Structure formats: structure tokens, C-alpha cells
Amino acid sequence: MLQVKEVLVLHQDRPSGIDRKPYFSWKIVSERRNVMQKAYRIRVHSQTQTCVWDSGKIVSDQDAYVPYEGESFESRKRYDCEITVWDDTDESATANTYFEAAFLQESEWKAKWVVPRLPRKKAEKGFGNQDPATLFRKVFLSSGTPVRAKLYSTCRGIYKLFINGTQCRISEFAPEHTTYEKYLCYQVTDVTDRIMSGQNSLAMYVGDGWMFGAQSRAFMPDLKDAHGILFQLEMEYEDGSIQTVISDESVECAYGPVRSSDLFAGEFYDANCRPSDWQGVRVCNYGYKNLHAQIGESVTAVMELPVKSVLRTQNGETVLDFGQVLAGRVKMHVAEPKGTRITLEHSEVLDKNGNFFNNISGKQGVGDGVDQKDVYISDGTEQIYEPLFTFHGFRYVRITGLREIRMEDFTAIVLSSEQRNLSTFASSDEKLNRLYQNTRWSQRSNMLSIPTDCPQREKAGWTGDIQIYAKTALQNADLTGFLTRWLENLECEQDDEGRVPCSTLEADRSAFNFGYSAWKNIFPLEKDRG
């Protein structure tokens, strides 16, 4: 029997917010061998069941990147898609999917960019050398229980989203790593089941992320050291009425338990520092021209690993071994007296004697400021702690401060941009199998918002690494959406002659400009030879 499987829109499964012309992809599956597609037909209907596109029966074996060629679609509306395929014996099969449009016009943003009035300084390298994360909140009244509620949100920094005190799982580092000045992603989140009739609260907890990090600071003219948020919540009720809640002057902000956070150095979390002294915000005219609905897979927790063993080293240290080098962080169960300071230090290897070894330490060079350390101060209550605004590359974790170490209290959370697996490999040679697994783990750890070089020292998007590895990566997993977003950002970075600078960091930009000028004098471009 013929079947149509894996029907995707923009290489995503039922995307909830797109702001571009979509394309469709699918696969056919049959119990018979050597079955080929002979024709297809795509029909797209609006929420009112109006047909906005009927491709008709197209004789073609194309099953990927089939562009939508129908009527313009409306913002914030759902469209149902029906794909019918015929094989070379004229057997047919049909499958369905849908997509939802996001904002298609800049004017549809009613929300205002807001930043805190709290004092902030520029982040510096090293653990604890950053100001606290900023907690923004807005309390609002719902007119009833909505039948549909969608939140459109983004920030300057990276954020966690909370509705009525419960965290909503979006991308782990939304809005992720982009060329912020020209390309800032916003996320579309269905929060229908989170909104209650009556009083509600919406909170966004914002850390430095890539934009403000000392080692990843965005190259943006007049970048101010202030986190910022933008959100627009639209709630539809049974009678068809719509209520909109936006970020504006009524938002409040405060500092909370994340006393400092850095993607390279780590996070300092004091559970005793609960938000208080809420202050007002001010509106900033950052505009909407750089906003794009996020395309491609988000960074998520793709796997959890238990502790493989607890080591007691020659130096008297307690070290957790998770059995695998990974990119992520440690989730920890804590039940310690108030004021207890628990430190987790991350590393990929032990020294030759089996002691904990910081394999990326350094001064004024690679590893400078990359502490890979998280610190938790207990408030005396039983808690589950998982860092909010950082990740590490590690296999081993040195633990200090706990009275007792129990394996079951720790879990390694593996983070990666979610990828649809496309292939597997196994052989009779265990060494070859291990080599393949190492390759897959390296890919998993270095596809985190952008393709990186490593998940612990530089965490940098050097173009050479992915240029060499892209073909293999795409044989392993579907990275189409992920690489599409990355290439669109790479294009934003190109200068008028197509060159891509070696970094978006301020210092590296200056070094690049100086080096390029010297190089150009020796090897002038064709157009400069006159």
C-alpha cells in the first residue's frame, strides 16, 4: 500500500509561525520495491475552508522544495495542506499537514520594546563578572478562558518564558544566535492552556547570551548594556473577540536568583535572592525591521544521561563521570542547609593520574574566561536546579559543597538544535562503530543554534568547519532549516564584495579590518587593479 510520510513545510513539521512563502516536501513509502512517484497534487485551504491554492495534478517526480504558488495568505491564520501522490502504477495516497502564518507586515506589531531602569555595566570575562539576569513581568486580566492564545516574543539577550509562574518550553536560548542588528528571530508559542480566566502574569527572564556576553558581544553601533523584551499576546474567545496584551510601560522588572550568567564562564544562582523591589521600565525605539519569525529547529534538550560513575580521585576530589563528552548542563537535586554553596566544574578529560583537569584553562588566549563553572547557593528548601542561561562541553563534573553525593541526584541534559535523524550505521567492527558514534556526538554538540567549532572553548561559528563537514552532516540528519537560517545570517554579514568577516566581535572586527587592509595592499582584488 502506498503511503505519504514526513510531510514538511519549510522542512518543519507543522510550523506554528512563518513569515515567508513556504515550500513543501514529503516521502513516499510502499511495500512494493522500486516504486517511483509519477505525479502530485497540493491543495491548501484557509480556516474558512476557502481553497487558496490547488496545484492541480502535476506530472513530476519532485518531492522536495515544491513552492507554494497560491494566493497571499493572511497573518496569524492557519492553513491546512493536503498532499496527494500517484506512483508509476497510478496508485494514490494522501497525507495532511498545516502551517500557521506569523506577522507578515511590520505594522502588525503593537508591542513596544522595553528595557529596565535598573543600572547595568558591560559584562567582563570570567565567572561572576556579569550583572544579574533581568526578570520582566506583566500582570493582566483575561476576559475569560481563551479558545486560542498565541504569544509572539523576542528579546535582546536570551530568555526563558513563564506564564503564571510555570515555565513554557521554547528554545533553550531564544532568540538564539543571529546577526541581531539585521536578523533577530521572534518565537511563536501556543499558550492557550496556560491562560486562566481573570488575573494572569507573563514573565520573561533575560540573560546576557551571545548579544551581551564578554566573548560574544554583538557588533552593533551604540549597543547599550540593557536587556530588552518585546511580546504580543493575542487571545481569541468563543464569541470571536480578540484581546491583545503587549509589552509596554506597564511592565515591571527586578533582579532575581541568577546573579550572573555567561555562555562561557557559567552561572551563579543564589536561591535566597527572590525578586523584590520591582521597578518600572522605559520604552525604546528599536523598531521591527530586523524581526523574522524563527525558521529551523530550536535548541532543545534532546537527551538525558545518568551518572555512569562517581569517582574519588587521588587528590581527594569527588568527580561525576557521565561516560560521554557532550554539550549541555547538569540538572541537580538539592536538599542542603540554607547558605550552602555548591560548585559544579566541568571538563572533558582527567589528568594522567585520574584527577580533575581543567583542559581549557588559559590566560590571555584560548580558554581565558572560560570557567565552565556553575554555583548554586541553597535557600534551605528542597529544589531541582538546572542552569538557565549557560551550557558547557564536558564529560566530567567536579562537585564541591555537598554533604553527600548520590548518583541519582544528577542528570546531564544534552542540548542541541533538534535534528530529524536520517541515517544509522553499524558494522561488525566495534572500533568503527565507536568512530561513527563519536562523529554523531560531535555533530550533536556542535549544532547548537549555529554550526560551531567546539562546545567548550570558543563556541564559535567559523565557516571553515561546517564547509568541510556539511555534506556528512546532511547525510546524518535533516539540517535544512537550521542551515537555511545560518546562511541567511551569513549573508547579512557579507560586505559589498561578498567577504564575510572572521567575527562579529568588536575586537576581532577591528583586527580583521586592519589585517584585510594589509592583505589587500599585497594581493589587490581584480576590481582594485584599475
Side-chain angles (χ1 to χ4, degrees), residues 49-187:
Q49 298 305 309
T50 301
C51 182
V52 295
W53 183 44
D54 186 342
S55 69
K57 187 174 182 179
I58 305 294
V59 177
S60 172
D61 62 356
Q62 183 177 358
D63 58 5
Y65 303 103
V66 179
Y68 173 83
E69 296 178 347
E71 301 174 12
S72 297
F73 43 86
E74 297 181 58
S75 296
R76 293 161 287 177
K77 301 296 184 183
R78 170 172 161 161
Y79 291 85
D80 294 305
C81 314
E82 181 182 86
I83 314 291
T84 302
V85 172
W86 289 265
D87 67 14
D88 46 2
T89 67
D90 276 335
E91 183 179 357
S92 66
T94 298
N96 297 281
T97 188
Y98 66 83
F99 65 87
E100 294 186 31
F103 293 131
L104 304 179
Q105 303 293 331
E106 188 179 319
S107 60
E108 292 170 312
W109 281 102
K110 308 303 179 186
K112 302 175 183 178
W113 278 104
V114 296
V115 299
R117 296 185 181 276
L118 301 165
R120 294 193 64 81
K121 67 177 186 297
K122 189 174 181 179
E124 298 180 2
K125 293 181 181 180
F127 183 83
N129 293 331
Q130 306 83 35
D131 276 346
T134 307
L135 183 60
F136 297 85
R137 75 173 183 186
K138 178 165 182 170
V139 177
F140 63 94
L141 291 175
S142 167
S143 302
T145 302
V147 295
R148 181 177 178 272
K150 282 294 178 73
L151 178 69
Y152 306 82
S153 58
T154 188
C155 80
R156 292 165 71 91
I158 54 178
Y159 73 99
K160 297 287 186 181
L161 172 66
F162 299 84
I163 303 287
N164 294 322
T166 303
Q167 183 174 338
C168 302
R169 287 292 178 182
I170 53 173
S171 170
E172 287 292 338
F173 300 110
E176 302 203 20
H177 190 354
T178 59
T179 306
Y180 300 110
E181 183 183 12
K182 300 177 182 178
Y183 195 118
L184 176 62
C185 292
Y186 64 91
Q187 290 67 50

Side-chain angles (χ1 to χ4, degrees), residues 279-519:
Q279 298 188 24
V281 297
R282 53 189 184 82
V283 172
C284 284
N285 186 27
Y286 292 142
Y288 315 104
K289 291 187 182 299
N290 61 335
L291 296 182
H292 297 261
Q294 181 166 339
I295 183 176
E297 293 73 19
S298 300
V299 178
T300 61
V302 297
M303 196 182 304
E304 295 187 1
L305 297 182
V307 176
K308 186 176 181 180
S309 61
V310 178
L311 309 176
R312 188 72 174 173
T313 71
Q314 290 183 10
N315 291 341
E317 306 155 321
T318 301
V319 176
L320 305 179
D321 178 7
F322 288 96
Q324 174 63 54
V325 176
L326 59 98
R329 56 197 179 215
V330 173
K331 181 169 67 174
M332 172 178 63
H333 173 260
V334 180
E336 295 292 328
K338 183 181 177 67
T340 301
R341 183 186 180 100
I342 304 162
T343 302
L344 296 84
E345 298 169 273
H346 305 72
S347 181
E348 296 173 298
V349 296
L350 303 176
D351 70 11
K352 62 181 180 181
N353 297 315
N355 295 306
F356 183 83
F357 174 64
N358 185 346
N359 63 300
I360 58 172
S361 62
K363 280 194 172 183
Q364 304 303 318
V366 174
D368 181 24
V370 186
D371 296 274
Q372 290 217 121
K373 178 168 67 174
D374 298 321
V375 173
Y376 179 87
I377 308 294
S378 174
D379 64 354
T381 65
E382 187 173 355
Q383 298 286 342
I384 299 295
Y385 169 64
E386 181 181 341
L388 278 73
F389 302 117
T390 193
F391 71 96
H392 309 293
F394 68 97
R395 170 178 170 175
Y396 300 98
V397 179
R398 178 167 61 184
I399 305 288
T400 55
L402 286 173
R403 294 172 295 178
E404 179 185 3
I405 305 291
R406 300 187 306 169
M407 294 175 61
E408 59 269 26
D409 287 343
F410 302 91
T411 304
I413 306 300
V414 181
L415 300 176
S416 182
S417 292
E418 192 172 11
Q419 305 162 27
R420 188 167 55 91
N421 188 57
L422 296 181
S423 64
T424 58
F425 172 84
S427 74
S428 58
D429 189 326
E430 288 307 313
K431 291 183 178 179
L432 192 57
N433 293 340
R434 184 66 252 183
L435 176 61
Y436 171 74
Q437 289 300 323
N438 289 350
T439 302
R440 294 305 300 265
W441 272 103
S442 293
Q443 177 167 328
R444 185 176 295 116
S445 297
N446 284 291
M447 300 297 180
L448 201 148
S449 189
I450 60 170
T452 62
D453 62 330
C454 63
Q456 71 300 92
R457 298 184 308 278
E458 298 176 358
K459 303 183 178 181
W462 305 117
T463 56
D465 301 67
I466 188 61
Q467 178 183 359
I468 294 170
Y469 185 69
K471 185 176 180 179
T472 299
L474 288 164
Q475 289 176 330
N476 290 332
D478 184 359
L479 295 166
T480 307
F482 172 85
L483 292 176
T484 296
R485 184 177 72 224
W486 175 71
L487 286 169
E488 289 177 351
N489 277 272
L490 202 65
E491 183 180 20
C492 290
E493 290 285 4
Q494 287 182 290
D495 64 18
D496 293 339
E497 295 177 357
R499 293 179 297 262
V500 178
C502 56
S503 177
T504 56
L505 306 188
E506 294 177 33
D508 287 355
R509 274 284 180 94
S510 299
F512 169 78
N513 290 335
F514 174 80
Y516 173 68
S517 298
W519 172 83

Side-chain angles (χ1 to χ4, degrees), residues 238-299:
E238 192 73 46
D239 62 2
S241 62
I242 295 177
Q243 179 185 358
T244 302
V245 177
I246 62 171
S247 52
D248 56 14
E249 298 89 344
S250 65
V251 171
E252 299 176 298
C253 67
Y255 288 147
V258 179
R259 307 312 296 168
S260 69
S261 65
D262 183 82
L263 289 174
F264 292 80
E267 182 172 293
F268 177 34
Y269 189 102
D270 188 343
N272 300 279
C273 297
R274 302 190 183 280
S276 59
D277 190 24
W278 291 91
Q279 298 188 24
V281 297
R282 53 189 184 82
V283 172
C284 284
N285 186 27
Y286 292 142
Y288 315 104
K289 291 187 182 299
N290 61 335
L291 296 182
H292 297 261
Q294 181 166 339
I295 183 176
E297 293 73 19
S298 300
V299 178

